Amino acid sequence: MFGPVRSRRLGISLGVNNIPYKFCSYSCIYCQLGRTINKTIKRRAFYKPEDIINSVIDAVKRLRKIDYISFVPDGEPTLDKNLKSEIDGMKKALDIPIAVFTNASLLCIDEVREALYQADLVSIKVDAVSDSIWKAINRPHLKLEIGRILESIREFVKSYRGKVISETMLVSGINTVRESLREISRYLKDLNVDVAYISVPIRPPAERWVRPPSYFELIQAYETFKDSLGENKVKLLNMPEDYVTHLAGEPEEYILRTTAVHPLRYEHAVRLISEHDKDPNEVIDKLIKRGLIEIVDYLGTKFIIRRFLPKNNNMTKKNKKS
Ligand code: SF4
């Protein structure tokens, strides 16, 4: 168990780690935990459910406010055979919503779906819907099939009463081509997810050659998802959890907060800053100089985006030209 941490999606979240280090059905190229040591689809009991439940109850007693108890372990949480009894036990003892972050690869198993039905929110990973890209980015266990996973996610979502969100991690040149983004966004639209999050590898990845998307690729992904799902259903996760702006003045604050979740049209920012009787060029230049934002030209329109790549990133420059 860890936390509480300020989660980018759930507010103050108490993390539950119900899986030993790197037992997973995937070995994602961007995994911040490194390569998977135990790639498996065999579910088993790793810890005593009462130990996990009691440690969560103890932590909740010590802490003042928790918005969510989140299963975000060092591997795939649904590999835990006791997941359902752990969620049931926490629900009986506490009045706090429970979230499970899963790669969704085991949703074809009845017991996994039964366990997840007890949660209040389920986050599913959808980095690709085509077999070749899925294999390249998630490096799944050999017995898994993407078609079956996508179908079982559909089935699960149909009968699930809680909130479903999705997370798509973008890796430059792997799942950032437009057609791939279109396919993913169409699939997520059909699922009718509450929010589709687009994230970028902001921590050291399992494979050193993995690169985050360029700003161009990120805006392209956002715009493609937005066209398919609608603006309110798409959010970027391109900043660390604990970003704090500490800036006085409303327009600066607004620009930073907005661009942390979606690209902002340059002309909108200019209008907003002017309404506050400030000089738009000065305000925007200051934020650029502080390394907080970047201006990107996307198909003839200027956008402001929160900077997550280090300055002088060659790939960004290369892609901006393309
Ligand atoms: S599914 Fe999650 S834990 Fe497993 S390899 Fe991918 S990122 Fe890492």
Side-chain angles (χ1 to χ4, degrees), residues 174-238:
I174 305 283
N175 62 347
T176 50
V177 291
R178 206 149 189 204
E179 198 38 47
S180 152
L181 296 166
R182 279 206 189 106
E183 284 173 2
I184 299 170
S185 62
R186 273 189 226 123
Y187 175 75
L188 295 176
K189 181 180 191 275
D190 286 349
L191 285 186
N192 196 19
V193 291
D194 288 273
V195 183
Y197 287 94
I198 298 172
S199 49
V200 302
I202 50 174
R203 302 190 183 95
E207 304 304 332
R208 277 170 43 186
W209 48 264
V210 162
R211 291 287 171 268
S214 66
Y215 292 116
F216 181 91
E217 288 172 318
L218 188 61
I219 294 178
Q220 175 161 271
Y222 178 81
E223 291 291 303
T224 307
F225 273 44
K226 191 191 80 181
D227 289 348
S228 193
L229 292 135
E231 193 162 3
N232 294 338
K233 292 205 164 193
V234 186
K235 284 195 176 150
L236 296 183
L237 287 175
N238 60 343

Side-chain angles (χ1 to χ4, degrees), residues 67-83:
D67 295 317
Y68 265 95
I69 295 166
S70 305
F71 284 78
V72 271
D74 288 347
E76 170 49 35
T78 61
L79 283 170
D80 178 7
K81 252 187 162 175
N82 292 323
L83 181 61

